[in-house]
Amino acid sequence: MGSMFRGEEVCLAQLFLQNGSEYQCVSELGELGLVEFRDLNQNVNSFQRRFVSEIRRCEDMEKTFGYLEQELQKAGVEIPVSNISPPAPMPKDALRIQEESEQLAKELGAVSGSRQTLRQNLRELREYANILRESQRFTGPLPESEVPWLDRTENDPLLDNAVSQRQDLRISFIAGVIHPWRMNSFERLLWRACRGYLIVNFVEMSEPMEDLVTGESVTQIIFLISYWGERIGEKIKKIANCFHCHMYPYAEDESSRLDTLRELLIKIQDIQKVLSQTEGYLSQVLVRTAEVLHPWKIKVRKMKHIYLILNLCSVRERCLIGEVWCPVADLPILQGALARASEIVDAYGVAAYQEVNPAVYTIITFPFLFAVMFGDVGHGLLMFLFALWLVLSEDNPKYKYSQDEIFNMCFGGRYLILLMGAFSIYTGFVYNECFSQATVIFPSGWSVATMAKVKNWTVDSPPEPLDPNITGVFIAPYPFGIDPIWSLSSNRLTFLNSFKMKMSIILGVCHMTFGVFLGIFNYIHFRKSYRILLVSLPELLFLLCLFGYLVFMVIYKWLAWHAQDANTAPSLLIHFIDMFLFTQNEGNHSLYDGQNVVQKVLVVVALLCVPILLLGDPICLYIQHRRKNNDHHQHIQHSLNNEERSPLLEDTTEPTEITEPIENTHKKAKDQHGHKEFDVSDVFLHQMIHTIEFCLGCISNTASYLRLWALSLAHAQLSEVLWQMVMRQGFIGLSFVWGVVIVPVFAAFAVLTVAILLVMEGLSAFLHALRLHWVEFQNKFYTGDGYKFSPFSFETLF
């Protein structure tokens, strides 16, 4: 009730709009009408803001809409207005609106221009025909087909035929039409300028004519001027031009005038037919324009204002920050609107028809790559138990219809979180980490006592690196995972760095190779087997000859070199660099005999795959197009020959049952009626972009998989710091007092573990795993340019 007596309480809120969803968020806020944005870019020129180009595009569309509306008003077509306000279009839909509106404007302009030209031609032909028809009464007998014969009166011809044949008395004619308001002035000026060397005859036109400029219907005046002398004729023409008269040629021979009249009447009929068809098509275009113009105007107007609002926000690297005034009572509504608008739905596009579905393989690879970065038995167990509780409570309405956005997100992905926790437990055993602490499941493969005797270790001695070259120190490898003895070694971080970095490269190359293989299944299904040889095989060779060979060197070094030879072991990084430079470092030992030759061959093979990948597919498509055209021409020639020999009567037997699929029938009909034009430059440009993306992507994508190594080490180090700084402090003393102190210490440790390691680190690993699948994996086979199948269902109406 407070708002009835005083103004509504408002607050200043700050919005963080993520890149990619800022447009939808502002659109949702515009539909609600709850907030007022503040300008955070007051010192920035309006022409230097981020969304200036989008606003200009909206203004261009508004200009096009203005032209369409003007044409509709000229034609007298009403624009239907609906009370339902359409939502702001997505940017891709705005491009479609722009293309369709420009196409409509171009089509409407062309048809209107053709109609105007036809009407102008028809008007001129009708004027000319009326002049020839009406002026016959002044120059000779009227044709019997036009009017009945009249007795000689004051309207009889001025000159007899015999007189008109004399050269000394020969006269010339100028015929035309003039507006009735200008007739008297025109006649007076003619008599004054020509001093009587002419005879002017005026008669009203038998039918009114529409003025194409003003649109009014006017009965024009026909004039026929008979004059003597060329100079008089020039004066008459100049005066007629000054009075905006329409003049037409007038033959002196009566038979020529009659022939011209007949031709004019035929042309008038033809133009009337064409004009009728043009006006019919124009009306269809106008109706189609009127149906879509009003929704388009509203959508583009909303879109323009969305970009104007976005220009008020402060631009950051990964988000836009906006400040708004909002009623305090409407803050929950504002938060709900932002939650709906920022939801990620089909962010990587909808799969094309019958394309390989990456979700089947991502169900396993996504939790596994997440676990590589999040590997810890304790953290994975907590995540697994949380997801298990959600799974067991999935039928509980309290959780199913919860209003908490974050909980709903976790509840919707409960099975995925369950797998992420299970895989994290597995990789935690591989890393031998449980809350950053190593666990002794099997006996260690190292003898620390032997090393302590040789090194003369004492209790106060700092940890030293493990040395397997000392006799009796290294006994056997640990049965599963990392040996717990490494947690006591000073070179633990160096060992884990090397292990996790190489593991990331191996997993990344295997993951990308699997993506290329999935593309082969697409080509087989869509009957494009030639692309296996021209696209998939060069891609596999390029990837495996370079980075597959790097994986081979890693595994070969693990198998061929032992700890005793660690000081003389070759550097794989130097070998990989020398491979591209076609050089050999004498100080770096070879892995095997003939390594330099093998590496040169592999680089040459990878380079030869580039032109095949670049030119193979366009050339093959061009050959197929030429072959189809030749077959099409031969089919047409064969059809023409058969038509010449076809019987006079068709076969009257009953038609057979049609059992061929509609799709095949459509393809045949398409083949029979021609083929689409083949643009070589377009196909080549598309393949060139694909080649550049793949070749450069192999390098960048392989490096991108190093995030598995980086985030895994970051998670382990952060977990270790949290244990050393918090939990370990609770075990300093073993007295009764410390037993009481350890309770709040453990509570702090638990809160920090959940907040930092489970939530923050888990979200970070989740996003990076998502990136590896969207960019590095799916770009090898997934196009995502389809659209959803939306069947008719009454359930969607309620």
Side-chain angles (χ1 to χ4, degrees):
M1 294 297 293
S3 60
M4 294 180 62
F5 299 99
R6 57 180 57 88
E8 184 77 21
E9 182 182 0
V10 297
C11 64
L12 182 62
Q14 199 171 41
L15 306 181
F16 292 86
L17 307 177
Q18 185 179 2
N19 288 340
S21 63
E22 69 277 7
Y23 182 90
Q24 295 90 330
C25 292
V26 176
S27 175
E28 191 73 19
L29 295 179
E31 297 293 340
L32 293 177
L34 295 177
V35 298
E36 178 185 351
F37 279 81
R38 297 180 61 194
D39 190 359
L40 302 182
N41 300 316
Q42 295 181 357
N43 299 326
V44 181
N45 193 319
S46 299
F47 300 99
Q48 295 177 348
R49 301 194 181 188
R50 181 172 182 177
F51 298 97
V52 174
S53 58
E54 287 81 0
I55 295 175
R56 288 177 179 173
R57 188 178 66 187
C58 294
E59 291 176 349
D60 293 339
M61 285 190 282
E62 287 180 342
K63 292 179 182 178
T64 305
F65 297 159
Y67 167 75
L68 295 175
E69 187 173 6
Q70 184 179 3
E71 291 296 321
L72 291 174
Q73 291 176 354
K74 287 182 181 179
V77 179
E78 295 184 0
I79 303 176
V81 179
S82 175
N83 295 328
I84 300 176
S85 178
M90 297 297 292
K92 60 180 181 180
D93 296 331
L95 292 176
R96 177 185 57 81
I97 293 176
Q98 184 178 14
E99 292 177 358
E100 292 182 1
S101 61
E102 290 177 354
Q103 182 65 27
L104 270 180
K106 187 183 298 183
E107 189 175 1
L108 191 58
V111 178
S112 299
S114 300
R115 175 174 173 265
Q116 188 71 11
T117 302
L118 289 173
R119 293 179 65 187
Q120 182 67 30
N121 293 339
L122 180 60
R123 174 190 171 92
E124 293 175 356
L125 293 176
R126 291 173 63 186
E127 286 181 351
Y128 195 9
N130 275 277
I131 289 173
L132 295 179
R133 185 185 298 115
E134 299 295 336
S135 62
Q136 281 295 105
R137 66 184 65 183
F138 305 122
T139 57
L142 295 173
E144 298 179 357
S145 60
E146 296 294 330
V147 294
W149 180 261
L150 299 177
D151 295 334
R152 298 185 67 85
T153 62
E154 59 181 6
N155 294 328
D156 285 347
L158 300 177
L159 296 177
D160 188 51
N161 291 334
V163 178
S164 61
Q165 298 299 326
R166 294 178 56 182
Q167 295 296 329
D168 56 340
L169 299 178
R170 185 176 179 180
I171 62 174
S172 300
F173 300 98
I174 292 179
V177 296
I178 188 173
H179 197 279
W181 294 352
R182 305 190 185 105
M183 184 187 69
N184 295 331
S185 301
F186 178 60
E187 184 179 11
R188 287 196 299 269
L189 187 57
L190 285 176
W191 284 107
R192 292 175 183 177
C194 299
R195 298 179 181 179
Y197 289 96
L198 53 79
I199 299 174
V200 183
N201 296 278
F202 294 97
V203 64
E204 282 190 356
M205 193 176 292
S206 60
E207 56 181 342
M209 295 288 180
E210 180 184 359
D211 192 334
L212 299 181
V213 178
T214 62
E216 61 178 349
S217 181
V218 181
T219 302
Q220 301 281 358
I221 302 298
I222 299 174
F223 64 85
L224 179 64
I225 304 175
S226 306
Y227 66 91
W228 292 266
E230 295 182 359
R231 297 184 62 184
I232 298 297
E234 295 296 329
K235 287 184 178 182
I236 296 172
K237 292 179 181 178
K238 290 181 180 180
I239 294 172
N241 288 329
C242 292
F243 281 87
H244 303 288
C245 299
H246 299 162
M247 293 179 291
Y248 298 93
Y250 196 83
E252 298 178 0
D253 186 8
E254 182 182 355
S255 61
S256 300
R257 294 196 294 268
L258 294 176
D259 293 339
T260 304
L261 179 59
R262 296 189 188 96
E263 294 176 359
L264 289 175
L265 295 176
I266 296 174
K267 289 182 179 179
I268 289 173
Q269 293 179 356
D270 294 339
I271 291 182
Q272 285 177 340
K273 293 180 181 179
V274 177
L275 181 60
S276 177
Q277 296 176 355
T278 303
E279 289 180 343
Y281 181 69
L282 178 61
S283 64
Q284 295 177 3
V285 178
L286 291 172
V287 170
R288 191 166 73 245
T289 304
E291 292 176 353
V292 298
L293 183 58
H294 181 69
W296 281 355
K297 289 176 63 177
I298 296 178
K299 289 181 178 180
V300 173
R301 193 176 303 161
K302 288 184 177 181
M303 184 179 183
K304 179 181 176 181
H305 282 80
I306 289 174
Y307 286 123
L308 288 173
I309 292 297
L310 290 175
N311 273 341
L312 303 179
C313 299
S314 177
V315 180
R316 295 293 185 266
E317 182 179 358
R318 296 184 179 180
C319 67
L320 269 72
I321 301 177
E323 291 185 357
V324 297
W325 292 103
C326 177
V328 176
D330 294 332
L331 282 177
I333 302 177
L334 173 60
Q335 294 172 351
L338 293 176
R340 291 192 302 271
S342 59
E343 185 178 358
I344 300 176
V345 179
D346 296 326
Y348 203 71
V350 180
Y353 180 61
Q354 292 189 340
E355 190 177 26
V356 170
N357 183 13
V360 178
Y361 317 100
T362 307
I363 291 173
I364 300 300
T365 59
F366 181 86
F368 178 73
L369 292 184
F370 170 85
V372 171
M373 296 178 280
F374 196 76
D376 190 287
V377 175
H379 300 154
L381 182 61
L382 292 177
M383 182 177 291
F384 179 83
L385 294 176
F386 172 71
L388 183 63
W389 170 66
L390 293 179
V391 171
L392 296 177
S393 306
E394 62 182 0
D395 295 330
N396 192 337
K398 177 181 177 182
Y399 303 131
K400 185 182 296 185
Y401 303 107
S402 175
Q403 298 299 322
D404 192 324
E405 177 196 359
I406 298 179
F407 181 81
N408 282 338
M409 181 177 64
C410 296
F411 187 79
R414 55 192 178 277
Y415 289 99
L416 182 62
I417 298 176
L418 187 72
L419 289 177
M420 290 160 54
F423 278 100
S424 297
I425 295 174
Y426 169 77
T427 54
F429 279 117
V430 173
Y431 298 155
N432 201 352
E433 291 183 359
C434 180
F435 298 108
S436 78
Q437 300 302 304
T439 56
V440 181
I441 303 176
F442 305 102
S444 175
W446 296 76
S447 177
V448 182
T450 303
M451 193 170 180
K453 291 179 182 179
V454 176
K455 298 278 187 175
N456 295 323
W457 285 358
T458 62
V459 178
D460 299 329
S461 298
E464 294 188 10
L466 296 177
D467 189 359
N469 294 324
I470 299 176
T471 305
V473 171
F474 181 72
I475 303 173
Y478 196 67
F480 181 79
I482 304 296
D483 198 309
I485 199 64
W486 283 103
S487 61
L488 304 176
S489 174
S490 61
N491 61 343
R492 170 178 176 269
L493 191 59
T494 303
F495 168 73
L496 292 179
N497 262 334
S498 176
F499 166 71
K500 292 186 178 181
M501 180 178 64
K502 294 174 182 177
M503 176 194 66
S504 301
I505 296 295
I506 295 173
L507 292 177
V509 174
C510 293
H511 200 209
M512 291 188 294
T513 305
F514 179 61
V516 177
F517 272 106
L518 290 180
I520 296 178
F521 292 101
N522 276 336
Y523 298 146
I524 294 175
H525 177 77
F526 293 115
R527 299 180 181 179
K528 295 181 179 180
S529 301
Y530 66 94
R531 302 203 71 184
I532 299 176
L533 297 177
L534 300 179
V535 178
S536 298
L537 184 59
E539 289 178 351
L540 281 174
L541 288 176
F542 185 88
L543 178 62
L544 295 180
C545 287
L546 300 181
F547 300 99
Y549 178 71
L550 177 61
V551 173
F552 165 77
M553 288 194 296
V554 170
I555 299 175
Y556 184 85
K557 184 179 178 180
W558 283 346
L559 299 176
W561 298 83
H562 303 283
Q564 295 78 5
D565 306 323
N567 295 328
T568 60
S571 172
L572 299 183
L573 180 60
I574 296 177
H575 275 306
F576 198 58
I577 295 174
D578 293 340
M579 176 180 176
F580 289 96
L581 299 178
F582 290 94
T583 58
Q584 187 174 6
N585 194 327
E586 299 297 336
N588 193 32
H589 298 288
S590 299
L591 289 171
Y592 54 88
D593 296 334
Q595 179 184 359
N596 192 30
V597 177
V598 173
Q599 292 180 167
K600 289 181 180 180
V601 172
L602 291 177
V603 173
V604 171
V605 172
L607 294 177
L608 291 178
C609 291
V610 176
I612 298 175
L613 188 61
L614 178 64
L615 302 175
D617 192 37
I619 293 176
C620 185
L621 291 175
Y622 178 73
I623 294 174
Q624 290 180 356
H625 174 72
R626 291 291 301 271
R627 186 179 303 167
K628 288 181 179 179
N629 282 344
N630 293 334
D631 295 341
H632 178 61
H633 293 318
Q634 293 177 2
H635 175 72
I636 293 176
Q637 186 65 31
H638 181 68
S639 299
L640 293 175
N641 294 334
N642 289 339
E643 287 179 359
E644 294 177 356
R645 303 176 182 178
S646 61
L648 296 177
L649 297 178
E650 298 293 338
D651 189 7
T652 57
T653 57
E654 295 183 357
T656 58
E657 182 181 0
I658 299 176
T659 58
E660 189 175 8
I662 295 177
E663 181 181 0
N664 295 337
T665 307
H666 172 69
K667 290 180 179 179
K668 290 184 178 180
K670 182 178 179 182
D671 292 339
Q672 292 174 0
H673 292 286
H675 307 278
K676 295 182 179 179
E677 295 183 0
F678 182 79
D679 191 350
V680 180
S681 60
D682 187 25
V683 175
F684 175 75
L685 181 62
H686 181 272
Q687 188 63 24
M688 181 178 65
I689 294 174
H690 172 75
T691 304
I692 295 174
E693 285 183 348
F694 180 82
C695 295
L696 296 180
C698 285
I699 302 173
S700 62
N701 294 346
T702 304
S704 183
Y705 277 93
L706 291 176
R707 68 185 70 234
L708 299 174
W709 157 53
L711 266 76
S712 175
L713 283 179
H715 183 81
Q717 291 300 308
L718 190 60
S719 179
E720 184 176 358
V721 168
L722 187 61
W723 177 272
Q724 296 290 337
M725 299 295 293
V726 180
M727 196 63 193
R728 191 170 183 272
Q729 302 300 322
F731 295 108
I732 294 178
L734 299 177
S735 62
F736 175 78
V737 177
W738 281 107
V740 177
V741 172
I742 200 173
V743 175
V745 171
F746 177 76
F749 174 77
V751 171
L752 292 176
T753 298
V754 173
I756 298 177
L757 295 179
L758 289 182
V759 178
M760 293 180 60
E761 282 289 314
L763 183 60
S764 176
F766 180 90
L767 295 177
H768 283 285
L770 199 64
R771 149 74 194 236
L772 290 176
H773 282 80
W774 278 4
V775 180
E776 278 73 24
F777 173 59
Q778 291 182 197
N779 68 350
K780 303 296 186 298
F781 67 95
Y782 185 72
T783 58
D785 56 356
Y787 56 90
K788 282 188 175 180
F789 174 64
S790 301
F792 173 73
S793 175
F794 286 114
E795 294 181 358
T796 60
L797 303 178
F798 303 100

